[in-house]
């Protein structure tokens, strides 16, 4: 049996006025309609920051400034493992729109438990609780 492949994924924690930006996966996606921090897969020869900027622009139509790494988690799924790198981000230009996501919301960290998050994002939550978003 061959080892499961590992997928490098980046996501951004975008804070505004005490709330965080989260996105809902499309009904046809893997883990349909689950919530996550905006981001996606890192392509070959792409930095984490480049991938995060590309993915957030594609999904929400906004430009982000990528800050420091907040957390890293590895989560094994049935057919692959996700290495999730979570970065602090700020919106540099634009207002979010649901372009390549089912929906998006601005929520407080206290509201996280009301949204079914993907397992990898759920594993990152403990790092965020108590962290104040930048305004």
């Amino acid at each position: 049996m061959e080892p499961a492949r590992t997928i490098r994924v980046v996501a951004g924690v975008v804070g505004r006025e005490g709330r965080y930006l989260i996105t809902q996966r499309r009904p046809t996606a893997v883990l349909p309609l689950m919530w996550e921090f905006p981001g996606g897969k890192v392509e070959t020869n792409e930095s984490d920051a480049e991938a995060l900027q590309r993915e957030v622009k594609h999904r929400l139509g906004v430009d982000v400034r990528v800050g420091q790494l907040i957390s890293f988690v590895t989560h094994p799924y049935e057919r692959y493992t996700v290495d999730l790198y979570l970065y602090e981000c700020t919106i540099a230009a634009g207002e979010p729109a649901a372009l390549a996501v089912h929906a998006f919301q601005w929520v407080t960290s206290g509201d996280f438990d009301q949204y079914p998050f993907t397992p990898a994002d759920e594993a990152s939550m403990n790092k965020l609780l108590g962290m104040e978003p930048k305004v």
Side-chain angles (χ1 to χ4, degrees):
M1 188 170 158
E2 68 182 65
R5 67 187 171 113
T6 299
I7 301 171
R8 186 179 183 99
V9 175
V10 290
V13 177
V14 181
R16 179 190 282 175
E17 298 171 2
R19 296 181 181 275
Y20 296 103
L21 181 62
I22 60 173
T23 58
Q24 187 178 37
R25 298 172 69 89
R26 290 179 163 174
T28 55
V30 173
L31 304 172
L33 300 176
M34 296 198 83
W35 291 85
E36 61 191 357
F37 294 106
K41 266 193 280 190
V42 178
E43 302 295 341
T44 305
N45 298 323
E46 188 175 46
S47 72
D48 285 2
E50 290 168 336
L52 196 46
Q53 289 165 336
R54 175 183 52 77
E55 288 284 356
V56 173
K57 180 75 167 182
H58 170 73
R59 294 169 193 270
L60 294 167
V62 295
D63 294 319
V64 292
R65 192 171 300 110
V66 180
Q68 68 182 20
L69 179 67
I70 296 172
S71 73
F72 163 75
V73 297
T74 294
H75 186 82
Y77 289 91
E78 189 176 332
R79 293 191 174 94
Y80 52 87
T81 297
V82 167
D83 283 352
L84 175 62
Y85 294 82
L86 198 60
Y87 288 88
E88 190 176 89
C89 289
T90 55
I91 293 178
E95 280 299 316
L99 302 179
V101 296
H102 188 66
F104 70 90
Q105 292 286 334
W106 289 97
V107 300
T108 66
S109 57
D111 293 333
F112 285 161
D113 61 357
Q114 297 175 29
Y115 296 86
F117 277 86
T118 64
D121 281 79
E122 184 78 37
S124 297
M125 292 296 174
N126 292 338
K127 305 264 182 165
L128 285 180
L129 296 177
M131 184 183 100
E132 290 300 320
K134 292 187 175 170
V135 178

